[in-house]
Amino acid sequence: MSKMKETRAPMTTLRLLLLGSVVLLSGVAAKDPSLIIKPVQPRQMKPIGSSLILNCQPDVDQPEYITNLKWLDPQNRTIDQTSTAGAHVTTTFTSDNNLGLVITGLTEADVGTYTCTATYSNSEYLAHSVVVDSFDDITWVDAPTEQYPIAGTSYKVRCKVKANPAPLVEWYRADTKIQDGNRFVKEYDGLVIQNVTAEDDGIYKCRAIVLDTGNIKDRDIRVEVHIPPTFAADQVSQLELVEGDMASVQCAANGKPEPKITWIHMPEQRDLSEGSERFSVNKITGVLTLNKISRSDNGKFKCVASNAAGTIERLVNVVVLIKPEILEVTNISEPINTEARMRCSANGNPLPSIVFRRVGTDVVIKTGIEDYRVSVEHDTVRDVATATLVIKHLNRTDDGLYTCMASNKGGSSMKNGHLTVQFPPVYASNMVKEVWTWNAKPVNLSCVSESLPNASITWLLNNRIVEDDMNVKKFGKGPYSDLLVTPVDQRYYGVYTCFTKNIHGENNAYITLREAHRPSRVSQAKFEVVTATTISFSFVGPTDTGGIKIKAYAVQYKELTQSWDEARNKSWPVDTPYILEGLSAQRTYHFRFAAINEVGTSDWGVVEQRVMPRRSAPEEPKILVTKDVYTEDYINSPYGNSYEVNWKIPADNGEPIDRYNVIYCVIEKINTVWTQKRESCRTEDLKSPDKTSLLMENLNADTFYKVEVRAHNDIGYSVPSELVFKTAMGADIPLQPAYSNRLSSSVIISIVLAVLFTILVVIDVSCYFVNNTGILFILFGWCCRKKKRDEDTKLGSLYGWRFPLPYCNNSIGESSSNGNGSSYTSDVEKVPLPDMNFVFEGKELLTNGNTYQSSNMRIEPTETLNKKDTEVEYDVRRSVSQTRFVGKDSAV
Ligand SMILES: *[C@@H]1O[C@H](CO)[C@@H](O)[C@H](O)[C@H]1NC(C)=O
Ligand SMILES: *[C@@H]1O[C@H](CO)[C@@H](O)[C@H](O)[C@H]1NC(C)=O
Ligand SMILES: *[C@@H]1O[C@H](CO)[C@@H](O)[C@H](O)[C@H]1NC(C)=O
Ligand SMILES: *[C@@H]1O[C@H](CO)[C@@H](O)[C@H](O)[C@H]1NC(C)=O
């Protein structure tokens, strides 16, 4: 209240008045000199470490009389103005006669009463004290701003605060005050969170309050819950790796923060995470990669996963599989009938199992299964497995290569060993036991012995060693030996002994050296096929070949009237066609035969006499067909519009073949009988006798054809060779070119009809004049039926086989009447025709009669089709019966 009055007094007088009253009221003389310390509070509370200044100001009327102004410390020592450097309590004049006490970095030791003293007017001692006190500010003693509780545990979020006076501590999370209780317990040095979970992550605020000083301080503490590592489920703990391979194994762990993985190879206590040539570790994914796995990697590997919250580890047991290696297979060589032991040793991890097989078979040899003599013994010494193949009572067949195979999980390997069975000499089964020679001709006796080891060979004759004889020469001592013998006299013929010997035994082989001689007479010579100019023979060999093979047969032949001195000779090597050519028809010959071997020619056999047949038309030119295209009674042509017919050159029966005639017609099978479409027939004459094939073109597809081939010589036509074939489906293109190139088919038909009509007229006229037959003759009379048959023959040769002849031939009715259902041959025999030309015509009548029997077909499958151009084959198989015709006909 007095202060208020003081400050409000507006005037000096009033002020002075009031001042006097204030002085009166306060009981202090207004003019008393004193010292004022500012700030004026008698007690100065300052936090430790802070700095302060206390200004001492004399309050006197005449400040110039102030002397000795100074500060005393709590121990009443004068504080120097210029105290030593570093002192933190000093004084300083703040103005002329104001002295400040400066304390920098207040410490506990600085606390106490500081006094400012001065002398006024040299007499009056002035003093004023102030108490400097300290207090502790709020300090964070233990309150880290980042804290990591571990999940599952109880954790105290530390916030230890020091302050003097003691502070209050409050907790906030996300601006919400945390209440005691529940999972939170406030303690003096922190906040306990019970059973920490990941949700407890966050910023926690620790607030310290000192009510005395009004101080308040906040600290944000980041709480991040750590989760100790755990291994992921389903991780391998056992691993089999193959030596030399590459492999990787993962060790995955979860946790917060992300655990780091290290791998340790336990046997070496080596941390693989550093990486090396063979190992690398991905610390994040936990994958351990092993390059080129070595057997030293065998053992336990430890996976360690660690993060701030903890460390865990687990073991992986690595087994390095080592592919077996065969260390040794023994090659053995044992005598027959003894016991053989083939040993095979191998290593590997795990220890391999060993089996034996015979090279070339897949059969694993097992004790006594296949063969009671065979067994397999197994043994293991340290890290080597051994198997022994034991074969008792060795046979020669046991000799050979055996495969030893060792296998384990890591793989397998194999190696062959040889078992050699030694045996005493035996002789090759194909050894020649009889040797022939003659005329002191040197000859080799050959001895081949099989034995192991090789046997030596000694030659004996009549139980005496002959090797030194001058007429004997030995080549080779064994296991092969040839004895070249020159049998200069009879003593060298006889039984030779080839004596062989080795360490296991000895053996004898007997080889007889015989003297060869000429063969005996030919037992029999058969006349197989006889034509007008050729004969083919077969021989029954001599009873005695002379000890060696017959090389050839010889014939000597002459005409009846000639002497044997004029005879001609021919010989044939054995197994060639024995054909004699160049004979004359209708002549009588004498033949005699002999066999020939290396030594010489046999005596001539008995003389055979033969009359050669008269010349006749050629034999049937057999149509050649390959076996594979033959079906039922016809051939399938591979083409729709063509077929090539091939035939064999037949025997010409004494006159050279000058041409072939080929007729082909469309036929149909009606009620199992082939019926010919006469108008479809086409005829080709092949003037060249060397030609043995004809390509029939422009045929209809999917159609049956019958083809007939006849050979011709001066005497006439042969029996036809016949074949039915069927063209392939489709590709029926043959007639088109004919249209475009030439005349239309209707024009052709018209022309053909016109020509035929003209020919008919001409023939009819001819018949009238020559034969007295035909339409004209019918009109003019019936004399034609009385004509003679030899005139027929003349006409036949005049007109050849063409059809006008049968038309005006008497035999027409006869032929057609017995044509149906009877074979061609019987036709020929029944119809009294004079020669083969007529035979052919008789056949023609049959074909005109539109009937064929499939039994007439003669299909001769053969593989010699391709050879037809290079060799001329005589087909004389049927010539005997043919000859019979000729004889019969000629008799007529
Ligand atoms: C066994 O014989 C084989 C050939 O038959 C040969 O390759 C191998 O080296 C021989 N083994 C020994 C140990 O002589
Ligand atoms: C006999 O055999 C030897 C060798 O084995 C050979 O040199 C010789 O030419 C043969 N002699 C005859 C006549 O085969
Ligand atoms: C045994 O004979 C064979 C064949 O002549 C020959 O290859 C081999 O070297 C011989 N062996 C011995 C040991 O003479
Ligand atoms: C036929 O052979 C005999 C001996 O076998 C011989 O004397 C004769 O001169 C030969 N004749 C001809 C024509 O070659």
Side-chain angles (χ1 to χ4, degrees):
M1 190 181 275
S2 65
K3 271 189 186 170
M4 282 170 66
K5 284 176 183 171
E6 193 182 83
T7 52
R8 281 179 189 167
M11 294 169 289
T12 311
T13 51
L14 183 61
R15 181 176 166 261
L16 288 170
L17 185 74
L18 282 171
L19 187 63
S21 60
V22 166
V23 170
L24 281 173
L25 282 168
S26 61
V28 178
K31 300 284 183 197
D32 280 355
S34 64
L35 294 173
I36 299 168
I37 295 173
K38 285 185 178 166
V40 294
Q41 287 83 358
R43 182 183 163 95
Q44 293 292 330
M45 280 281 259
K46 290 290 176 190
I48 298 285
S50 60
S51 298
L52 69 156
I53 182 164
L54 297 169
N55 194 36
C56 182
Q57 180 183 355
D59 183 19
V60 292
D61 295 336
Q62 292 163 297
E64 56 274 17
Y65 294 111
I66 290 290
T67 56
N68 226 3
L69 183 63
K70 60 186 179 187
W71 279 96
L72 301 177
D73 69 12
Q75 283 78 41
N76 280 330
R77 294 172 302 201
T78 302
I79 299 166
D80 289 337
Q81 184 185 343
T82 54
S83 59
T84 50
H88 64 277
V89 179
T90 56
T91 58
T92 179
F93 280 102
T94 54
S95 64
D96 276 354
N97 44 15
N98 284 14
L99 185 64
L101 170 69
V102 177
I103 303 174
T104 56
L106 180 68
T107 68
E108 213 56 73
D110 300 330
V111 169
T113 304
Y114 290 80
T115 310
C116 180
T117 61
T119 310
Y120 185 56
S121 308
N122 290 324
S123 59
E124 199 167 353
Y125 177 76
L126 303 177
H128 196 138
S129 292
V130 64
V131 175
V132 172
D133 203 352
S134 69
F135 70 91
D136 282 339
D137 195 2
I138 297 171
T139 50
W140 308 105
V141 178
D142 180 17
T145 53
E146 301 205 328
Q147 299 193 32
Y148 306 101
I150 289 167
T153 61
S154 286
Y155 182 78
K156 184 187 283 179
V157 183
R158 279 139 44 225
C159 185
K160 187 171 178 185
V161 188
K162 195 177 98 189
N164 193 8
L168 290 173
V169 175
E170 289 178 347
W171 287 91
Y172 295 85
R173 183 182 174 194
D175 295 330
T176 308
K177 192 166 176 183
I178 294 173
Q179 300 299 330
D180 221 348
N182 208 0
R183 288 167 49 237
F184 299 101
V185 179
K186 278 189 260 180
E187 293 187 357
Y188 82 98
D189 57 350
L191 175 71
V192 175
I193 307 174
Q194 281 164 344
N195 193 14
V196 173
T197 67
E199 281 79 63
D200 295 324
D201 270 1
I203 306 289
Y204 288 73
K205 182 180 285 183
C206 171
R207 169 170 287 176
I209 302 167
V210 180
L211 292 174
D212 288 356
T213 57
N215 262 352
I216 184 163
K217 266 194 177 173
D218 286 344
R219 169 158 279 212
D220 284 344
I221 297 172
R222 199 167 66 81
V223 171
E224 190 189 311
V225 176
H226 277 177
I227 302 168
T230 51
F231 287 116
D234 300 336
Q235 305 222 63
V236 292
S237 56
Q238 182 81 16
L239 208 57
E240 286 183 343
L241 306 176
V242 177
E243 185 183 34
D245 280 5
M246 200 191 110
S248 57
V249 50
Q250 190 180 18
C251 178
N254 301 319
K256 192 173 148 195
E258 198 72 51
K260 295 240 182 315
I261 310 288
T262 51
W263 280 94
I264 290 160
H265 185 221
M266 295 304 279
E268 296 173 291
Q269 285 297 321
R270 177 169 155 216
D271 186 354
L272 306 175
S273 311
E274 295 145 18
S276 66
E277 197 184 319
R278 292 203 307 110
F279 301 105
S280 60
V281 173
N282 184 325
K283 291 184 184 174
I284 306 302
T285 60
V287 174
L288 165 68
T289 304
L290 300 97
N291 293 319
K292 244 184 148 277
I293 291 155
S294 124
R295 58 189 69 188
S296 66
D297 298 338
N298 205 50
K300 289 186 161 58
F301 283 69
K302 186 161 80 179
C303 163
V304 179
S306 61
N307 66 5
T311 295
I312 52 169
E313 46 185 59
R314 55 192 298 277
L315 290 173
V316 176
N317 194 22
V318 170
V319 176
V320 176
L321 302 178
I322 300 166
K323 188 184 155 185
E325 184 194 1
I326 294 184
L327 305 173
E328 188 195 19
V329 188
T330 52
N331 287 339
I332 45 176
S333 179
E334 297 291 347
I336 197 163
N337 289 326
T338 61
E339 180 183 285
R341 300 179 69 85
M342 181 180 285
R343 213 163 49 80
C344 175
S345 54
N347 61 14
N349 188 30
L351 266 185
S353 62
I354 300 179
V355 295
F356 288 95
R357 277 180 319 198
R358 216 161 160 169
V359 167
T361 73
D362 286 339
V363 183
V364 168
I365 297 172
K366 297 215 175 77
T367 299
I369 299 284
E370 299 288 324
D371 188 339
Y372 74 96
R373 302 176 302 127
V374 177
S375 59
V376 182
E377 297 169 1
H378 294 277
D379 191 16
T380 301
V381 180
R382 279 191 299 277
D383 48 1
V384 175
T386 304
T388 308
L389 172 67
V390 182
I391 305 177
K392 295 191 172 107
H393 312 296
L394 278 176
N395 284 342
R396 277 188 62 191
T397 52
D398 297 326
D399 186 292
L401 279 176
Y402 290 80
T403 301
C404 164
M405 185 166 106
S407 37
N408 65 8
K409 278 194 240 173
S412 64
S413 56
M414 50 179 77
K415 205 169 185 179
N416 290 344
H418 197 268
L419 165 59
T420 308
V421 178
Q422 302 178 4
F423 56 95
V426 294
Y427 294 97
S429 55
N430 59 352
M431 232 170 79
V432 178
K433 293 287 174 59
E434 204 176 52
V435 177
W436 295 77
T437 189
W438 61 92
N439 293 352
K441 201 170 84 131
V443 71
N444 273 329
L445 310 183
S446 295
C447 185
V448 180
S449 116
E450 295 172 27
S451 59
L452 242 167
N454 284 344
S456 64
I457 293 185
T458 312
W459 289 94
L460 300 94
L461 173 59
N462 299 328
N463 294 324
R464 285 170 52 197
I465 295 175
V466 287
E467 292 172 6
D468 295 336
D469 194 295
M470 56 187 285
N471 291 315
V472 157
K473 192 167 182 337
K474 182 182 177 186
F475 296 93
K477 293 182 163 65
Y480 319 125
S481 181
D482 283 341
L483 189 70
L484 183 64
V485 179
T486 311
V488 292
D489 60 49
Q490 285 300 318
R491 284 181 297 131
Y492 290 96
Y493 292 104
V495 178
Y496 286 77
T497 306
C498 167
F499 174 76
T500 54
K501 181 176 182 179
N502 75 358
I503 52 170
H504 300 298
E506 49 191 58
N507 209 342
N508 290 306
Y510 302 102
I511 301 178
T512 310
L513 179 59
R514 294 186 192 279
E515 186 169 18
H517 48 265
R518 292 190 301 137
S520 65
R521 285 194 173 89
V522 171
S523 302
Q524 196 186 348
K526 294 184 198 159
F527 288 67
E528 291 286 334
V529 179
V530 180
T531 74
T533 56
T534 65
I535 302 177
S536 74
F537 301 101
S538 69
F539 296 105
V540 177
T543 48
D544 174 10
T545 63
I548 52 179
K549 273 193 307 221
I550 298 298
K551 202 172 70 173
Y553 287 101
V555 63
Q556 231 176 17
Y557 60 104
K558 65 178 184 65
E559 291 194 27
L560 189 61
T561 51
Q562 292 177 310
S563 77
W564 282 110
D565 289 342
E566 297 166 278
R568 283 182 281 169
N569 295 342
K570 173 148 178 88
S571 69
W572 304 273
V574 161
D575 290 336
T576 56
Y578 308 123
I579 295 173
L580 190 58
E581 297 175 65
L583 300 168
S584 302
Q586 290 174 297
R587 296 275 177 80
T588 304
Y589 284 93
H590 279 166
F591 301 91
R592 58 185 192 181
F593 305 93
I596 301 171
N597 71 6
E598 286 284 349
V599 182
T601 306
S602 71
D603 294 336
W604 293 109
V606 291
V607 175
E608 304 256 359
Q609 182 171 323
R610 278 285 145 149
V611 181
M612 297 307 285
R614 64 186 287 185
R615 290 171 303 138
S616 64
E619 289 297 309
E620 172 189 340
K622 289 276 168 59
I623 292 178
L624 301 171
V625 175
T626 50
K627 241 171 219 160
D628 48 321
V629 294
Y630 176 77
T631 57
E632 295 169 33
D633 51 357
Y634 60 87
I635 300 298
N636 282 311
S637 167
Y639 308 106
N641 60 350
S642 67
Y643 183 73
E644 190 184 58
V645 62
N646 291 274
W647 58 86
K648 247 164 121 180
I649 292 179
D652 61 13
N653 281 336
E655 282 294 330
I657 293 171
D658 55 1
R659 64 170 185 268
Y660 292 95
N661 173 263
V662 181
I663 303 175
Y664 52 103
C665 308
V666 173
I667 56 169
E668 274 176 354
K669 204 168 201 175
I670 299 171
N671 297 333
T672 73
V673 176
W674 288 112
T675 307
Q676 179 174 332
K677 292 195 169 168
R678 192 176 168 189
E679 66 282 0
S680 69
C681 292
R682 291 186 233 173
T683 300
E684 305 253 7
D685 256 334
L686 279 74
K687 291 287 191 300
S688 160
D690 298 335
K691 198 128 193 256
T692 58
S693 71
L694 174 71
L695 182 64
M696 293 170 277
E697 288 177 300
N698 299 339
L699 305 179
N700 295 334
D702 198 18
T703 307
F704 285 104
Y705 280 86
K706 191 195 67 169
V707 57
E708 296 177 0
V709 181
R710 292 170 173 86
H712 182 269
N713 65 8
D714 266 0
I715 296 168
Y717 280 97
S718 72
V719 171
S721 180
E722 301 170 350
L723 174 75
V724 172
F725 66 89
K726 188 185 178 192
T727 47
M729 303 271 214
D732 190 9
I733 40 169
L735 290 174
Q736 299 304 334
Y739 278 174
S740 53
N741 289 351
R742 301 176 195 169
L743 305 162
S744 78
S745 57
S746 56
V747 172
I748 291 173
I749 290 168
S750 316
I751 291 170
V752 168
L753 287 176
V755 168
L756 283 176
F757 182 75
T758 312
I759 290 170
L760 269 174
V761 169
V762 169
I763 289 166
D764 209 43
V765 170
S766 308
C767 279
Y768 176 77
F769 290 110
V770 178
N771 274 7
N772 295 336
T773 187
I775 299 162
L776 273 175
F777 183 73
I778 292 166
L779 292 176
F780 287 89
W782 304 93
C783 69
C784 190
R785 290 191 185 150
K786 295 173 190 166
K787 67 119 197 84
K788 287 178 181 174
R789 274 189 50 203
D790 52 355
E791 286 174 323
D792 280 345
T793 316
K794 278 183 212 155
L795 193 66
S797 58
L798 186 64
Y799 283 102
W801 56 273
R802 269 158 291 199
F803 83 91
L805 196 70
Y807 167 78
C808 61
N809 190 329
N810 272 345
S811 62
I812 185 166
E814 210 179 333
S815 297
S816 43
S817 69
N818 66 6
N820 283 4
S822 57
S823 77
Y824 162 65
T825 313
S826 60
D827 275 348
V828 170
E829 284 175 330
K830 280 179 187 166
V831 179
L833 298 178
D835 59 25
M836 292 314 290
N837 204 3
F838 258 85
V839 169
F840 181 69
E841 283 166 7
K843 183 65 186 172
E844 182 66 13
L845 287 175
L846 274 176
T847 59
N848 293 348
N850 280 353
T851 51
Y852 262 89
Q853 267 204 321
S854 52
S855 61
N856 265 3
M857 310 298 301
R858 281 186 292 272
I859 296 166
E860 299 270 313
T862 174
E863 269 95 56
T864 57
L865 251 174
N866 300 338
K867 294 193 207 160
K868 65 185 193 303
D869 293 334
T870 53
E871 63 184 45
V872 175
E873 292 175 67
Y874 280 92
D875 174 21
V876 288
R877 201 176 303 171
R878 293 178 58 82
S879 67
V880 175
S881 60
Q882 189 59 54
T883 320
R884 199 150 44 81
F885 288 149
V886 172
K888 193 176 158 195
D889 288 345
S890 59
V892 169

